[in-house]
Amino acid sequence: MGLTLYHFLILGAVLFCIGLYGAIAKRNAIAVLMGIEIMLNAVNVTLVGFSFFNTVKPYATYLTGQIFAIFIITVAAAEAAVALAMVIAIYRKRNTVDVSEINMMKW
Amino acid sequence: MGLYEYSWIVLFAPLLSFVVIIFGTRVGDMLSRPRVAVATTHAEEHAVETHGTHGEDHGQHGEDDDDDPKVPQLTQWAVVSGYVGIAIMAIAAIYSWILLFYSAFVPSSMPANGLNDIFSYNWFNQGATGSYVIAFHIDHLAIAMLVVVTTISLLVNIYSQGYMENSAGYARFYAYLSLFAFSMLVIVFAQNFLVIFIGWELVGLSSYLLIGFWINKRAKPEEQRPSPATASMQAFVMNRIGDVGFIIGIMILFANTGTFDFQKLAVDVTHMDKTVLTIAMILIFCGAIGKSAQFPLHSWLPSAMEGPTPVSALIHAATMVAAGVYMVARVFPLYLVAFPAAFLVVAWVGGFTALFAATIALVQSDFKRVLAFSTISQLGYMFVGLGVGGAEYGPGPGMFHLFTHAFFKALLFLCAGSVLHGLHHATHREVQDMRQMGGLATRMPITAITFLIATCAISGVPLFAGFFSKDTIIGLTLERGNWGLYIITLFTAGLTAFYMLRAYILAFGGTDGKFGGLWGGTYRGEGEPHESPPTMTIPLIVLAIASVVAGYWFGFFDYLHPGAPALSFGSIFSDGLTYIGIVTAVVGLVVAYVMYARVDGAKLHAAVENNAVLRTAHRILYNRYYLDTLYDWIARYLVLGLAHIAQAFDAYVVDGIVNGVASFVMFLGRDVRRTETGRVQSYMIGFFGGVAVLAAVVFVLVTYVR
């Protein structure tokens, strides 16, 4: 039984759910960021899978998915840098990285 | 001819003096006046003068004195303002007289339709429908009116030097007088409806400013007199009512012909639907009803008596009320094209107003108010004259009465002003009630004799100006076979003679006077009145002469309307109708003489009070048929009632909707805002939960529904 699209999709879905759980349930801001990274990469896996198993053109000439994935990795890197910088700033200000206590935007 | 082409000088001269005074000399007057010093001297003077009758309520704003605030001495600048006004108006008046004589003696110098575009300015173009032009035009009708306006204005200007002496608002007064004259001249020179309407509104503005000139003066409910501020507003608002009809009429004409120009209209309206044209002309007449104070929009004119008396003279003789008559005369050719109903409306409104106002004037005790109602009545005559003139006479009869009336009515008012001025100096308060006059003839002889001349003129005593013009109108009504109007105008002529002689005797004569009570007698007021200064009496004398000779222009009808029959002594005195008119006037005069110069006032009073019919009639007439009360009621309950309903609609319905929506949102927001926890993760749950739900819905739809 070779590798099929479903393997990719299931892997992506599992990774996404793990990431989602981490992003929602963790109280440490760093852990939340890690969850988000996992979600992004879950999407990357799905994109690459779709790209590889497409039925329109040969794989070598149909790179949209891969390019998209690379873009996401790039953006994710930037996002991580910004988000970590914010976490550090919040930590300096409030001496905590617990997201349940970061609720200045409350009503 | 060059003479006519430069007649725009007459038009713009008063504007020039207005500008010079308001931006030049008046500013100088204000700046050079020692403010503080004036306030204190005035207060002291005031305290001395009032004899304690006014109490101690004059503080900083203690100018609730009847008169306008006085200054001890006019500044140089104020005096110059007066001279500027007089000098420039003199130029205009002289120029207009030259124009009059030139056009009368050299009729060929003027083209048949007058001279167009003596000054024109293209206001704006509007696509294909044409352009709106400010254009002025001169013809015989304009020149006849021009002479009246400039002459009366000049005399009023001179007269005001005496009447407004030491008035703090001296410069302002002259500025307004000039503006008033300019506004009226805009109407006189108007070449199209657009310009006449601009002048129309300018006249309204100027009269508003001048009637309300004494802004500090209060209402006098015990004399049924409003405050000048209220009176000026009333004049303005009542004119707006008439103007609604005027505007609609102009718009109907414009919609049907595409032009405002009078001469083009005269040609174009012949293609119009006659019914529409008739309606338009009646609507246009509504404007004249308002401006010339005809029933039912007459009540602003008696209220306008609250303005300074020279202004009343100007309004009643030359400017404001004459505008309505002049306008109808100006659009006379359009009326000729319309159904005769249009002219009938003009004539009947005029006739009814003449009678209506004359009956009110019979019993009024306020000196100026008698004159006010007499003006309304005489304006009624003018409209009768216009209404019955027809193609044969043209606007001649109506305009002739306007022409003669201008002189004797200005004279009457200026005499009244002279009396008021004299009484003010004698009593140190404002006296307008004739019951506090009497016997003034020996004390103010020039005023009395000129007033008597004007009385004769307005009563239609033969050989005075009013006789010729009024008799022509009365005769014409019968010539047109209109018996109703004939009887009304004839009867009114008798009433006119009665109330004018009554006013004269009450003010100047008395039962114990000379010449059987006509000259002098007991003075019922306080103090000792004296004759007014020459600046005031000279205009009186000039006007008295004019009140006699103005009627001898027998070619007037032909001058305005080529081919109209001329008056002549032969035609006047060979007609039996003339004698009926004379007899009516004489009967009126004799009745007034017997009632007021031979019978004691107290006895007369008792006779009226003891007779139920007379008493009721007197009360109804004295209260002006309760029309003022009715208008007051309408304004108070109908108009303000509607306003309250509208206000309630706004407050409860409109605001209710707006506030209801707002409070509903607020109500929702109060609970919903609890979801804004400020914690990113709870938002995330909402977001992904929503996505999950949507995904489930899509999945179900894609799988099962398709």
Side-chain angles (χ1 to χ4, degrees), chain A residues 23-24 26 39 99 102 107, chain B residues 673-674 676-678 681 688:
Chain A
I24 289 173
K26 284 293 171 185
M39 284 158 74
V99 286
I102 305 169
W107 34 272
Chain B
R673 73 173 186 168
R674 301 276 165 200
E676 290 286 308
T677 55
Q681 285 169 322
F688 284 104

Side-chain angles (χ1 to χ4, degrees), chain B residues 293-307:
Chain B
Q294 297 296 289
F295 179 84
L297 297 179
H298 62 280
S299 67
W300 67 266
L301 194 60
S303 303
M305 293 296 95
E306 297 311 314

Side-chain angles (χ1 to χ4, degrees), chain B residues 77-94:
Chain B
W77 286 107
V79 176
V80 168
S81 307
Y83 289 143
V84 166
I86 292 170
I88 293 184
M89 193 52 73
I91 295 170
I94 291 166

